[in-house]
Amino acid sequence: MWQEERVEETEVLMAELEGLEFGKSDFVLLDEVNMEDFMGNLKLRFEKGRIYTFIGEVVVSVNPYKQMDIYGKEAIDAYRGRELYENPPHLYAVADAAYKAMKRRAKDTCIVISGESGAGKTEASKYIMQYIAAITNPSQRAEVESVKNVLLKSNCVLEAFGNAKTNRNDNSSRFGKYMDINFNFNGDPTGGHINNYLLEKSRVVQQQDGERNFHSFYQLLRGGSEEMLRTLHLENDPANYVYTRQGAGSATSNNDRSSHKAVLSALNVIGFTAEEIESIYRILGTILILGNLQFETDSECVQVVAPEAVGHIAELTTTESDSVAKSLLFRTVATGGGEVIEKGHTEKEACIGRDAFAKALYERLFGWIVGRINAVIEVKDYNPVLHGKNTVIGVLDIYGFEIFDNNSFEQFCINYCNEKLQQLFIELILCQEQNEYQREGITWQHVEYFNNQIIVDLVEQPHKGIISVLDEACLTVGKVTDTVCLESMDAKLRQHPHYTSRKINPSDKTMEFHRDFRIRHYAGDVTYSVEGFLDKNKDPLFQDFKRLMYNSSNPVLKEMWPDGQLGITEVTKRPLTAATLFKNSIVALVDKLGCKEPYYVRCIKPNEMKSPVLFDDARCQHQVAYLGLLENVRVRRAGFAYRQPYARFLQRYKMTCEYTWPNHLMETDRQAVEAIVTQHCFQDDVAYGHTKLFVRTPRSLFTLEQERAALIPILVLFLQKVWRGALARMRCRRMHAIYAIMRCYKRFKVKAHFWEVERRFASVRNMADYGKSVEWPMPPAALAEFHTITQQLHRRWRARQIVKNIPPSDMAEVRAKVAALGVLAGERKEWGCCRPWERDYLANVRDCPQSSSNFVRVSKELREKDSFNQVLFSGICRKITGLSVTAGSDQMVALHTSSQDDVLFYIQRGEFCPNQDRVGELLGTLSDHFTRVRNTPLSVKVCCSSVKLHMRGKPKSVTVETKDGQTNADFRKSRDGFTLLIPSN
């Protein structure tokens, strides 16, 4: 009864999102779980344009075969951060669910996209990648945008070189691709890694009717420029080349010309250099020219029909023409005795070798391109301690189940891969889930399902499986044919319920004797033609071609063929077969997927006509049956949407209950979880296991998430408050400690400075220079001012000690020199401080022998008349209309007047002392006199260039020039005033 109420409640919720005229948005909501109702709902939704439907967290996708306007920015915004059932079913919903699970629980997730060829897997993977790129990196960091751009652009390149038109699909993946996207703790992509599986390289040399070779060949031939094609010795018609002739006339929805431009742009964005891009297309050109090579027998020797093509191949691969021809026509063989001989090919052997070489060239080119992309997008300089946990979302886009008219080795491997993936789906969705219910003691009605492990064992079981039989046949010495291998398979597998052949069942005329065998796959019976199985499994390629490519001057080619460095006698170990290598890679892939939380997109092909309106009921029902979707609905309908260990559930939701926050006091975590459930009234929607809580509907979980989301900001604020308080207290204690240490250290530094000063200056009284030569220690910052005062005190004390020994008669000269030193302030280099200052030079007979007597007489008369005490300074000067002061080594001085009628004069040097500088003496004497007698300082200005003054109120400028041939200093008028010309010596 409760189950019906739950279904009705969820049905109402879904009805709000999509009207009931579109059917049920989730197959779990079907009234009856049977094939008829399932198919009716699927068909109704397809016809109404609803191509996506949920089975819980599994998305069922039907290929619409038309462009649909449901993938724009508005759709992305609608699904970002929302729960699965809040919006109509969509690829974006499952992509967001995988992203949220990865980000919330720091758990690796993966999205497995499965379905048969043409069901829309590749398009689904591209939309998922676009969605993840759109919702990440909101801060638009450049490095993250670069990673996203490369991840998206890689799809374009891999499709060009790995996809082809088949009869079922215009853009069929002919290789398997699994991409891991790495995310940092912020949920932004930091890199990725691409694994490729089993490129269908046989398509390079041969395609079925109506199919094409890989897109890259047609894009080059139809989209390449004339210059590029001319350089590659190609023409722009695919019909001119054997390898592309089959698909040249096939209609396709892809535009090869525009696709070629997009691929070139993508290669540049990813980071391929111009030389690498050129090498890629050189290899494509080489393959096309190889396909046109023909051989003929001439005198029992095989020759190339058109030798100029060999030269073109040599040019494109940067090898020697002779070496190319030799590799095509001969095979180097090592005998048992170590002797090396050359064995000529027959025409058939030469053709086989040519095709094998072409296939190997393309396969290694594709592998190199994938490796080059991985080198660009791989996570670099990752440190878990610094960058946090690195989580991963894996996206698997791998070829779907294939049943053709002629099924060969490639279809066998592809269908085996699909068996493994289906087995993983059964293991995780149907088997493990039901086993967990039993293990946890949950009441459960077991749902029956087909476990295809028996088919997987048929293919891969050691010593008994088909791959083991193929490998054994390849390793057997002697001529073992495909027919002999088939007989060996019949003998070992005749009792297996999923294997048969014409020999085992002679009445089945749909198979041929000695050619066909049939496997009952989960998706249907497939008849395989054993012809070519052994050659494709052995994957033969003569060592001569490997050495030829390794010896190429092109570094890209050389890098692709590292095994070519081995000599013919060094190749001893037989390589693993193609089937074994593929099996190992698929087993590793399944292991990788098994350790992640899986999300599924199950793709369905509605018809074989690629029609947007046709729904083939029988075809779709067959796919629904072999995909196990009905069983999936039953398990999901009867099961639980969510399960979590008690401790983890409690850790996430304990803040929503008063009895569990911040920590509960109950005996067990289960009792605490029960308290949370009871408080939210979810008792009827949960079941308690031994170690886990099981929740039936997503709505209960969503209610908890909503309440948790509302409480998180409150808790964050509380934690911030507590933490900020703790930080403040820590900071306060730290500051107290810092200040205490600083105080002690400062006291120590002060005392240490005093001790050092005392030590250095202890005996300065007995020094000749009274401590002038003693270097002062660097003071601490606190004593900077005190240090300056102490130095001044020492200088004054030292000056006092020196002055005490000067006779009183010399004190006037000392005072004058001190005054001159003060007023010049160190701006004049020469000022006569090292000589005695005589002051009255006009009265000195030695200095002025002709005028001294006359000056003495005149000064005596003035003294008697004006009663002045003494002459402060006298010297010969040439008086003009004004005076000024200079700052050079000349003797020009300016005296300014308050009436702006200044005096400019030049002190003439004495005849016997021509190099004496008397300006300092004049300034010192006047300054000392002004300070002592007039009790006012003398204002002195030292000019570095011209001297500015006023004459009769008008501004003048006086400059000083040195002139050759000038005997005496003299003034000359200039445009701005005057120029003092002084002798050059």
Side-chain angles (χ1 to χ4, degrees), residues 44-165:
L44 173 62
R45 291 184 62 76
F46 174 76
E47 292 172 346
K48 295 290 188 179
R50 299 303 191 264
I51 62 172
Y52 299 120
T53 313
F54 283 139
I55 303 178
E57 293 182 348
V58 175
V59 173
V60 179
S61 169
V62 183
N63 193 341
Y65 287 118
K66 63 180 180 181
Q67 293 294 327
M68 301 192 69
D69 188 21
I70 56 173
Y71 304 105
K73 184 179 183 301
E74 291 183 1
I76 291 173
D77 293 338
Y79 283 88
R80 178 183 301 175
R82 308 300 293 270
E83 297 302 322
L84 269 174
Y85 64 86
E86 289 188 83
N87 282 315
H90 201 290
L91 284 175
Y92 291 167
V94 74
D96 196 79
Y99 180 75
K100 285 202 300 287
M102 179 273 299
K103 192 173 181 181
R104 283 177 180 174
R105 305 197 294 271
K107 184 175 178 61
D108 293 344
T109 60
C110 64
I111 302 173
V112 179
I113 307 169
S114 58
E116 69 176 56
S117 180
K121 299 184 298 301
T122 299
E123 289 300 309
S125 71
K126 287 194 288 188
Y127 287 129
I128 287 172
M129 291 288 295
Q130 290 170 4
Y131 179 80
I132 292 174
I135 66 172
T136 53
N137 193 31
S139 58
Q140 297 293 301
R141 289 191 298 140
E143 62 272 21
V144 177
E145 285 300 303
S146 174
V147 169
K148 285 162 46 175
N149 207 11
V150 172
L151 288 171
L152 293 176
K153 291 294 184 181
S154 66
N155 277 330
C156 173
V157 175
L158 295 178
E159 280 188 23
F161 290 89
N163 289 21
K165 171 186 165 32

Side-chain angles (χ1 to χ4, degrees), residues 963-979:
K963 184 178 180 182
D964 293 336
Q966 185 81 12
T967 57
N968 295 315
D970 198 3
F971 289 98
R972 297 283 175 87
K973 284 188 177 182
S974 65
R975 186 175 63 180
D976 299 328
F978 301 95
T979 301

Side-chain angles (χ1 to χ4, degrees), residues 693-707:
L693 174 72
F694 292 80
V695 183
R696 288 189 182 277
T697 62
R699 189 170 186 81
S700 299
L701 190 65
F702 180 58
T703 303
L704 281 172
E705 283 290 337
Q706 281 186 315
E707 186 168 345

